[in-house]
Amino acid sequence: MLIAADKFKGSLTAVEVAQRVTAGLHRVVPDLSVRALPVADGGDGTVDAAVAAGFERREARVTGPLGDEVTAAYALRDGTAVVEMAEASGLQRLPEGIFAPLTASTYGTGELIRAALDAGARTLVFGVGGSATTDGGAGMLAALGGRFLDAAGQPVAPGGGPLRDLESADLSGLDPRLKDTEMVLASDVDNPLTGPKGAPAVYGPQKGASPEDVAALDAALAHFARVLARSAGPGPGPRALELAEAPGAGAAGGIGFGALVGLGASFRPGIEVMLDVLGFAPALAGAQLVITGEGSLDEQTLHGKAPAGVAAAARAAGVEVIAVCGRLALPPTALGTAGIRRAYALTDIEPDVARCVAEAGPLLERLAEGVARDYLS
């Protein structure tokens, strides 16, 4: 049995999900051989999944989204680093109930990338998601040596809103090690930078942006792309307007755009990248059944989330997949199309959603007992 599940957001980490499922299975079949491979799709929890797969956890003091200093982690193994932008610039770094949609910065993410380069990384898997920011990656690029100046020749203030004042951009001072680093942008988001499906319109409200803030951020990011195209110099800069429309440019408040333009990143669906990095294929060898899952199995699951990626990879290898979740909002036909034979939800045994969140661990163990009775007895 291979357990390859993502976190139950707000309740259990991916590692805890695997532990609870294993405990439930073993209550019914004590001698069952179980292998756990916690997974993530590039968003929050990505570093933890890499560490669980054998990467070394490293930490660095970096600038948080509001300018305060925070301790952020990345994962390193054999010259490959997994950097999770949410560790430095995520919503998790904001005080409870506090948002800063116009001024939150990705500067700390750039510092975290630099720390990985200092540690010897020459392949960098850049997981983006869960961001508190909408600055197009300008803060990240500034931390790595980019210069963004207003009409008076002064650096523009942090955040997406002040990009409206940007007059010139210079990427010639970016850390030279980036040219020799393979950078993979891992995300489950394929939105463009701006427009009706862009980062501000789709994700800005989740970060506290009012309709007026969304309009201001959209205009500021569009201006950012135009200035980069005009003045960023050799390299991808002149292609900035084209890259602003590329899949993934709108990921994590537009940090995907900054990675594509300034860091020479290539975009890949996050779960595909992470399955490669975590060693899913060798872990799958010999497995008779795969258990995947996440907190909510819904329409978003089908669009690049971890369970869909796990199911596709397992199905290609001819291995059956079932899922566990907190809440199930997909019909059996959609599950079948995704390659999931059956899904088990915590709400099947506890209709009270609040209790499901509060008691997710014990309930998941009970759910796993049911899986074992249905499939292994």
Side-chain angles (χ1 to χ4, degrees):
M1 182 81 72
L2 174 63
I3 303 171
D6 201 349
K7 63 188 175 297
F8 282 26
K9 192 166 186 177
S11 299
L12 299 169
T13 67
V15 172
E16 291 169 337
V17 169
Q19 291 170 340
R20 294 289 189 164
V21 171
T22 300
L25 295 172
H26 278 159
R27 284 205 191 101
V28 179
V29 186
D31 60 348
L32 178 66
S33 174
V34 179
R35 179 166 185 178
L37 187 76
V39 298
D41 55 20
D44 48 320
T46 294
V47 165
D48 288 341
V51 171
F55 279 66
E56 178 187 356
R57 182 183 178 90
R58 298 284 189 96
E59 292 184 344
R61 294 291 286 173
V62 301
T63 305
L66 301 185
D68 52 327
E69 195 174 51
V70 301
T71 299
Y74 63 97
L76 184 69
R77 183 174 68 185
D78 300 332
T80 295
V82 176
V83 174
E84 177 186 325
M85 74 88 60
E87 277 285 319
S89 311
L91 286 166
Q92 66 198 44
R93 295 301 184 187
L94 296 178
E96 183 76 25
I98 300 298
F99 296 97
L102 297 175
T103 57
S105 171
T106 56
Y107 193 91
T109 296
E111 293 176 314
L112 196 59
I113 290 172
R114 193 169 66 229
L117 295 175
D118 290 343
R122 290 301 175 265
T123 298
L124 206 151
V125 177
F126 187 32
V128 299
S131 72
T133 58
T134 311
D135 74 349
M140 172 187 69
L141 295 175
L144 290 166
R147 299 181 72 224
F148 303 99
L149 307 178
D150 62 19
Q154 298 299 309
V156 295
L163 289 174
R164 64 182 178 273
D165 300 323
L166 183 66
E167 180 65 26
S168 66
D170 181 2
L171 301 183
S172 64
L174 286 174
D175 192 314
R177 295 173 295 182
L178 292 166
K179 295 178 181 178
D180 300 317
T181 302
E182 180 186 2
M183 174 81 67
V184 181
L185 175 64
S187 173
D188 65 349
V189 167
D190 59 4
N191 302 67
L193 180 63
T194 59
K197 296 183 179 180
V202 177
Y203 301 107
Q206 301 172 9
K207 306 170 190 185
S210 67
E212 293 77 18
D213 293 337
V214 167
L217 287 166
D218 196 72
L221 291 183
H223 177 66
F224 179 43
R226 288 193 296 270
V227 173
L228 281 173
R230 183 183 74 230
S231 65
R239 295 179 52 223
L241 294 178
E242 174 188 344
L243 292 172
E245 298 294 328
I255 201 171
F257 172 70
L260 294 171
V261 172
L263 307 184
S266 59
F267 171 76
R268 284 183 62 195
I271 186 58
E272 289 184 11
V273 178
M274 291 308 299
L275 290 181
D276 287 347
V277 168
L278 299 175
F280 180 76
L284 186 63
Q288 295 180 317
L289 183 69
V290 173
I291 298 178
T292 189
E294 63 179 347
S296 178
L297 284 181
D298 51 33
E299 277 295 322
Q300 288 191 353
T301 302
L302 305 179
H303 300 284
K305 293 291 187 179
V310 168
R315 179 170 56 179
V319 181
E320 192 168 70
V321 179
I322 60 174
V324 293
C325 60
R327 181 183 74 98
L328 176 62
L330 289 174
T333 51
L335 290 172
T337 300
I340 298 172
R341 177 174 175 178
R342 181 177 173 183
Y344 295 72
L346 298 186
T347 52
D348 293 339
I349 57 176
E350 175 48 72
D352 186 333
V353 174
R355 286 192 64 187
C356 284
V357 173
E359 303 172 21
L363 289 170
L364 185 56
E365 290 187 26
R366 286 176 52 193
L367 207 65
E369 291 177 32
V371 172
R373 285 191 289 268
D374 288 346
Y375 283 86
L376 304 173
S377 299

